[in-house]
Amino acid sequence: MTDPSSLSESQAAERVHTLRQQLDTFNHEYYVLDSPSVPDAEYDRCMRDLQALEKAFPSLQSETSPSLRVGGVPLDSFQQVRHELPMLSLDNVFDDEQLLDFDRRIKDRLKTSDDIEYACEPKLDGIAISLMYRDGVLVRGATRGDGAYGEDITVNVKTIRSIPLTLRGAGFPPVLEVRGEIYLPKAGFDALNVKARTAGEKGFMNPRNAAAGSLRQLDSRITATRPLEMCAYSVGLVEGGDLPGHHASILEQLHEWGFRINPEMRVVGSIAGCAEYYEHLAGIRDSLAYDIDGIVFKVNDITLQERLGFVARAPRWATAHKFPAQEEMTQLLDIEFQVGRTGAITPKAKLEPVFVGGVTVSNATLHNADEIQRLGVRIGDTVVIRRAGDVIPQIVSVVESRRPATSTGEVVFPSACPVCGSAVERTEGEVVARCSGGISCMAQSKRAIEHFVSRKAMDIDGLGDKLVEQLVDEGLVANIADLYHIRWDDVVKLERMGEKSATNLLSAIKSSKVTTLAKFLYALGIREVGEATARALADHFKSLDAIEAASEEALLEVDDVGPVVSRHIVMFFANEHNREIVERLISAGIDWPKVEENDIGGKSLDGMVIVLTGNLESMGRSEAKEKLQALGAKVTGSVSAKTSLLIAGPGAGSKLAKAESLGIDVADEQDLIKMLGSDA
């Protein structure tokens, strides 16, 4: 670190200039390009160096310094500002017919039958922002407000590292207003709520509310701690310079000047292309790192935009095709308490059916006792339900203004298991309450069997949840080992079970005896031992006997195994009943090939980080992932500088582009098959 006292003011000025350029570059690489060139430690060292020099030489302080991103003195209030050009709303369409009507109106106004070229962009679910630059320097950041007037939040937007304080490159107009969306990525939202709840504070309902609350902090130091990002989507006022003649090209130009733009943006040649893009984005929506609530379609040609003009408070040349709502209101009818295979007591909300996220929802999770208390929910309340993709619907808030006068008091979490009556216990440091009955609890036994027979475990085809319920209720099976001793004569008598079905079931049970050590470990249902951990245990110890005999210290040497997991493993095999069950399973004939070192054709996949994208024709992506993991590779869902290889099938999109930009090796499906060798 530079010692400020050893420098003259001119030397300090030169060093400050260099540090600011370095930090601006580091910020741009990390927050805009997603491609950092230095570790966080180096960034932190440069920032500390700059702050020390600015403190020692106050005359060198600047409004555009990266050091301002940590926030400043709290404000008393936000000042209102007038937008030089109004920030208009967009009209919405909700189905293909309305989208076709939008295109027809444009063609009618332009008096043409030719296809129109459209720019397609994901509609980020965040807060619209206006950023004013003069001579390349950020001078104002304002919220949309009512479209004509917004709030001046310049001190807060300066803390967002994906917003350039000074524009990069050259050729930008003397006056340039950039418009975009400030949003909170899903990971940042989750981390923010975990932090809030750990501190005993109320969490946020959704990422959009969290982003809005973060932006409107009078203390910008708080805003600086929130992982906000900004994505540019258009320009407003432009004076003294020319921009490209197409909307997509303008966004590319903004990217060169330092702004993040959405990598999913596309240009299509017709309204049919818009409809196809909608289906594509709807399919990948839940895998995106941020929330979107629709797609914005804009006429790409700026000259045509000007000819089309505006109507009321919206442009004629743009519309938003909205996705089905992910949040809705409904009534909470009841709360049931379910017992899982590990004894966890989970409250389940019974709801007045409501259409949300593309499906009709009648149940939602309430997670645990703490969540019930945090929400203050009561039976009969009107509640807000959120469902995103395949995520289990959850209650995010209570509409207290609609609480009925006849509402009962707070929901009481049971002190006894609702299935077996055993005491409910809660281990210190855990949020989950559990039935203490163990395997003697019928609910735990049923869930344990359901897990054991599932596809990723022993994969016993035809043995679904309802049949498990029958087997246990009829007294034919009490635990997982009993499955291998049931008789055809008993099974065939069950409801809806004919002779052929009974024969097929027993055949599937017999076939399941040939498995792998990793699948068997996972099937046992040891707490916190998922597929990846089971695979790591099998690869490390090579045999079941070695795992059973391992101490906590020995288990900690395995990747993916920490103190909590190692303790659960030791406790599982220390339990006499569990050991008896395992011995009965082995005696019944369950077996697996000896675990060998991961090596295919002399080339080990250990340590490789692989990403799969696009469609695979010879196998599903989940199957490919499983086979790669079995050979020692780590398979992740996103491309980063740590990625060793991207395997791209037809339809690969942004992940392929990012891999190529980072210089990461790219393989196709044929390469994958060669890697897997005989296992493919």
Side-chain angles (χ1 to χ4, degrees), residues 353-567:
V354 61
F355 190 77
V356 57
V359 300
T360 299
V361 169
S362 56
N363 299 301
T365 181
L366 278 165
H367 299 294
N368 50 55
D370 288 350
E371 185 73 355
I372 290 175
Q373 184 175 8
R374 184 187 72 81
L375 291 167
V377 66
R378 301 179 184 180
I379 294 171
D381 276 346
T382 296
V383 294
V384 176
I385 303 298
R386 180 173 177 79
R387 180 187 181 274
D390 294 330
V391 177
I392 298 172
Q394 60 179 322
I395 294 176
V396 295
S397 64
V398 174
V399 185
E400 293 190 12
S401 62
R402 298 195 179 189
R403 175 168 286 166
T406 56
S407 174
T408 57
E410 295 181 359
V411 175
V412 178
F413 204 87
S415 58
C417 173
V419 175
C420 71
S422 299
V424 171
E425 299 174 344
R426 181 169 169 177
T427 304
E428 185 176 352
E430 289 192 358
V431 297
V432 178
R434 300 180 189 276
C435 164
S436 62
I439 203 70
S440 64
C441 175
M442 191 65 72
Q444 292 184 62
S445 178
K446 288 179 179 178
R447 302 295 88 78
I449 296 170
E450 289 169 5
H451 172 76
F452 183 83
V453 305
S454 62
R455 184 177 62 83
K456 293 182 179 180
M458 300 303 287
D459 192 18
I460 302 180
D461 189 37
L463 190 47
D465 294 355
K466 290 184 178 179
L467 184 51
V468 169
E469 293 273 349
Q470 285 191 71
L471 290 171
V472 175
D473 292 344
E474 294 293 328
L476 300 178
V477 172
N479 56 59
I480 55 179
D482 290 343
L483 289 169
Y484 295 91
H485 299 282
I486 57 177
R487 300 183 306 168
W488 185 90
D489 290 345
D490 292 327
V491 174
V492 77
K493 298 175 184 177
L494 295 175
E495 185 180 350
R496 298 179 183 175
M497 180 65 70
E499 293 184 1
K500 184 177 180 180
S501 297
T503 300
N504 290 341
L505 174 62
L506 292 184
S507 176
I509 292 174
K510 182 179 179 181
S511 297
S512 74
K513 292 180 180 181
V514 180
T515 185
T516 66
L517 175 56
K519 284 195 169 188
F520 182 73
L521 286 171
Y522 173 66
L524 291 178
I526 304 169
R527 281 185 62 192
E528 305 295 338
V529 176
E531 291 176 87
T533 303
R535 190 176 299 110
L537 287 165
D539 289 343
H540 183 88
F541 288 103
K542 311 300 182 190
S543 73
L544 180 63
D545 289 342
I547 296 170
E548 288 182 329
S551 65
E552 289 189 35
E553 292 74 17
L555 289 164
L556 288 172
E557 296 177 9
V558 182
D559 289 342
D560 289 338
V561 174
V564 173
V565 179
S566 65
R567 187 162 56 252

Side-chain angles (χ1 to χ4, degrees), residues 114-127:
D114 294 339
D115 285 335
I116 304 295
E117 186 176 75
Y118 291 100
C120 315
E121 302 168 60
K123 187 176 182 297
L124 295 168
D125 196 11
I127 308 301

